[in-house]
Amino acid sequence: MNWALSIFYYIVTVLVVLVYGLLLYAFIAKTMARVQGRIGIPIYQPFLDIIQTYGRRTAVTHGYMFDLGPVFRLTGGLGTLAFIPVIYGSEIFGNFHFAGDLLLVMYFIFFGQLGMALGAGESGHPYAPMGIARGLAQMTAFEVPFALAVIAVFMQYETASITEIVAAQQGSIYNWTLFTNPFAVLAAMFAFLGMSMYPPFDLVTAPNEIPIGPPTEYHSAYLSLLQTNRAIFAGAKLVLFMNLFFGGATNLPIMVLKTWAIYMIPVLIGVAFPRFKVENSIRFFLGVPTLVGIIAVLYMQYWGTV
Amino acid sequence: MGYAGLQLVNTMFMQELCERMTRQFDCDQVMHQKDDLSFLRVDRDRLESALMYLKTHEGFVHLSFVTVIDYIEDGFFRLNYMLYNYDKATNIGVQVDITRENPSMHSIHHLWAQGWTYQRELKEMYGIDFPGSPRVDEEFVLEGWDGIPPMLREFDTAKFCEDRFAKRDGRESQDIKQTMRDNLYPERGES
Amino acid sequence: MNKQDKNPGNNRENLIKLENAGLTAEEQQLFCDAVPVPYEPYSLEFVERFHNWIRANSLWVLAFGTGCGAIELNPLMTSRFDANRFGVMMRPTPRQASVLIVAGYSSVKTLKRIIRSYEQMQGPKFVIGLGICTINGGMYYDSYNTINCLDRYIPVDLYITGCMPRPEALLAGFMELKRKIKAGECDGANRYVKDFDWYKANQKKVIKKWDMPDYNW
Amino acid sequence: MFDLKRYSEAELESGKFTKLWHGPQHPGITGNMSLELTLSGDDVVECKTHVGYLHRGFEKLMERRTYIQNFPVVCRIAVPEPTFNEYMYAAAVEELAGIEVPERAEWLRCLNLEMMRLASFLMWLGGACGSFGMSTVYQWTVTHRDYMLDLFEEMTGARIYHMYISPGGVRAPLPDGFSERALSVMNGIEKLLYEIERVALNNHIFKMRSQDLGIIDPEMVDPYGIVGPNARACGFKRDVRKDAPYLVYDQLDFEVITADKSDAYTRTLVRYQEMHQCISLIRQMLEQMPTKGSFHADLPNVLHWKIPAGQTYVKSECTRGEYGYFLVSDGSEYLRRVTIRGPSYTHAIAVMEKLVVGVNIADVAGLMVSLHTYPPEIER
């Protein structure tokens, strides 16, 4: 394939995922509002918010790392998306998949957070390092079940290519990892709760404790970048989970439906739970989810049938 | 025992208590305001021992508040320590008169751990010093106050306001009596 | 609001750096001493109008309950009145907020924090004065610790009168603020910078313990 | 004996500690006050409270106003619970002036106070859950509080500042059909409370975070002057409504609710039970209340009101505990001195500074809310 065309297709994918991520965000906000008995924001509100922050006429910087923080964050989001085939078999939404892309994606998921940590650390606000410490600690914890789940998936499909993993799940609903390797999916969904930053795992932006954590000092166009990244990154994560565990998608409506359904899990847990403390959160992830992850690996080792 | 019976016991308890206090601490003025509230006046230097006695022997364990009444005409501050006895459900106000010039008073912080907050407030609002009370010199509710303590009677807050804060054009303050007379009872006229 | 006649000679041109006289020498190095400059609108008019429309529909309110008016902000943001419908959202940090609600009387001690919060907000920024006490002192006209006219200390775009203003009044106030923003009438941040000396003089007349930089970047 | 741990410069210079200002612009702080925290890692080693952001000098302003002019002023002192101020001021003035209040007015006052208590508790319960991250419960309770405010509006004409309990009685009788509407709101709130019990109070994470947080030792209660639900949660049967009954509380059937350990969770439970008690009291009052009779005493012209010289202290049980007015009159048209004793005064300053030491920074908001403090009544 022509590389220029492939980059063009990638840009199209990013835009589609961005729009979809923002719509999803608004839709989730509306869902939460309905649980709380409200009407909630209009469905186009996230778009307005991004343009509004972008359209601020003044900005204050705290140094080079502060400037680079949102850039790193966005790079993390874009990089994650770049190696995930959004729609299986589609030329436009196929992205730059290659044999070992899952490993690279796992790296990119955490790249953004580390970059953000450097940037927010320079902002000088005491809540920012506090939020970063919490975020990194929790991230280290939920990475364990997630890594175990991904290892189990590696063992199951004997490949590290997302496209091949999706290909192996085609045909019937019973080919999904959800049914062939339920323990891995369970462990990964636990990790997804931690990744998606809804209660009880919204430690990083806990509004009553360290309002709103690392991005406390980010404003104007910086914040606009962060908001963009949030949408892209959420979309990329959802697509990754859909590809690995829920059979991928062969067209756009299926993708929308599946990712929305996956996202509803942390949201519905989120509206009904208080927040963990950071030590509770770490203890939680290193407990049952890790155990389930280990079981998933053992299951694949001894009883796995592919 | 109903409430009325309790009241009777309380009244007797209060009278006996006041007599005891008068004997022991030379309270020069006793005032029974109602069944469960009396005021005693003690000497400045006997206050601590009186409060200590009330707290440890008579069960007045709860310090409701400490306050000051400014008698500028007679030149003294009247400190008021309001204590409460939970078993007998009675309040007693122990009062001390101190002079208005360089006022200072013994700290009661060692008797009640919350005492320092009241003393800090009185220091700021009235300028009464409580040597030995923690953080008594720190600012409490005011910040950067540069005048005389604001709760003193001679401090004129309306005049201070006029000097410090700008008035909005068009705002009028009316004499309430005159306004009510004019608007509500115009037929009465000046009376 | 005609302030130019009260403005005693604006010498901003000569001013290069803020004095930051309230700070110690050590602290002065930590704070920025650049003089704030007004921001220009977008050069193309339709871009500016578009952004004004966006700003009006995405109002981020600073979550700072400065006075008793904050009690009516709770019903406003929750399910009964739900200001989220109109794009009004609470932000916990001044850097990201665009609307400052001064909820009721502000004591001198709070005024200092209001000024700091206001200066940390990024323009365009709007101020709503809530309650009669921000307009002329209201019930506390003779209190030694509350200011009387808020717009002498920070530029106010909109007043909502009443004690307390009901949530319906607040919603109407937000609608009016939106109308003003869309019409491009809310230039409070620029007014503040333009009349910087006048505002600072007023602020320093009231706040006696001035241990902060002259402009909080 | 009660030595405050003094703040030392050397400790901060060592670089092991972080100084952090929590508030006043902070969503986790109740009202407008701030905590100056010294942190070691995530744990608080030292706390200083700063109040005064809401100081309006009420005690000074009231000395400048005639007795009847003070009546609309007092309710502004504590925003979430204005009614208690109105009642305490009216009671103090009535006692000094010797005014007899009609029986119906007493019932109406009592109803108003209990409704205020319920509304205030609703807001507090939302805040308590919100401080641990349950914003959903907060939304629910504030909405139901708003239905209570509708009742207030019907009863008194205002949502927040009612100016209802005037010296001598109340301003208006109940409107027609009020009790049916009030009962239906009560039913709704009761249903909500059971829902909250299932969602929040029985929630594992909520329990995990709030249990053993900020334990008030029973020995602390007397020296620190802890009152109200905070003291009742550690076993003290202290309630002004029972100890020195005022209004019509001696004709109502209720028990003082106590628990045996005052941590944040137990305090929440005690208040939760008191909310049920409030609903029961309101129902009792709506049932027993006289519907005929005068609701305001005949007073002389208030413009020429002079109160005989004297001093008195009246108190009532507000949501946080003993709320009192100390009023001194010197026989003129103006009062000599008034002192407002709010329970938050000690809860938010001395007790807070003591309890917060050793607490994780994440729990500071939860601890502060569990003490139920309102800054406006501290600084007046």
Side-chain angles (χ1 to χ4, degrees), chain A residues 139-177:
Chain A
M139 195 173 80
T140 321
F142 70 64
E143 200 174 352
V144 176
F146 184 56
L148 285 169
V150 171
I151 288 170
V153 170
F154 281 166
M155 291 162 71
Q156 184 184 3
Y157 297 109
E158 291 171 343
T159 174
S161 160
I162 299 176
T163 315
E164 284 176 32
I165 291 174
V166 178
Q169 296 180 55
Q170 297 303 311
S172 156
I173 192 170
Y174 297 109
N175 292 345
W176 293 7
T177 321

Side-chain angles (χ1 to χ4, degrees), chain A residues 24 43 67 70-71 80 107 119 129 131 138 156 193 195 197 208 223 236 239 279 286 289:
Chain A
L24 192 63
I43 203 87
D67 296 347
V71 179
T80 314
Y107 162 73
Q138 182 177 267
Q156 184 184 3
L193 291 183
M195 272 185 214
M197 297 288 168
N208 286 305
L223 190 62
V239 169
E279 57 260 38
L286 297 185

Side-chain angles (χ1 to χ4, degrees), chain B residues 169, chain C residues 1-10 152 195 198:
Chain B
D169 298 335
Chain C
M1 189 68 34
N2 187 7
K3 280 200 202 66
Q4 292 305 322
D5 53 342
K6 294 177 200 162
N7 194 346
N10 209 338
R152 290 175 63 85
D195 297 341
W198 185 76

Side-chain angles (χ1 to χ4, degrees), chain C residues 128-171:
Chain C
I128 294 181
L130 194 160
I132 184 78
C133 12
T134 55
I135 301 176
N136 60 11
M139 196 146 256
Y140 316 112
Y141 72 100
D142 56 348
S143 163
Y144 53 85
N145 203 35
T146 59
I147 57 159
N148 284 345
C149 306
L150 181 66
D151 51 32
R152 290 175 63 85
Y153 309 101
I154 54 174
V156 180
D157 293 298
L158 188 82
Y159 280 116
I160 303 170
T161 187
C163 182
M164 301 272 131
R166 303 168 56 90
E168 291 95 329
L170 287 174
L171 280 181

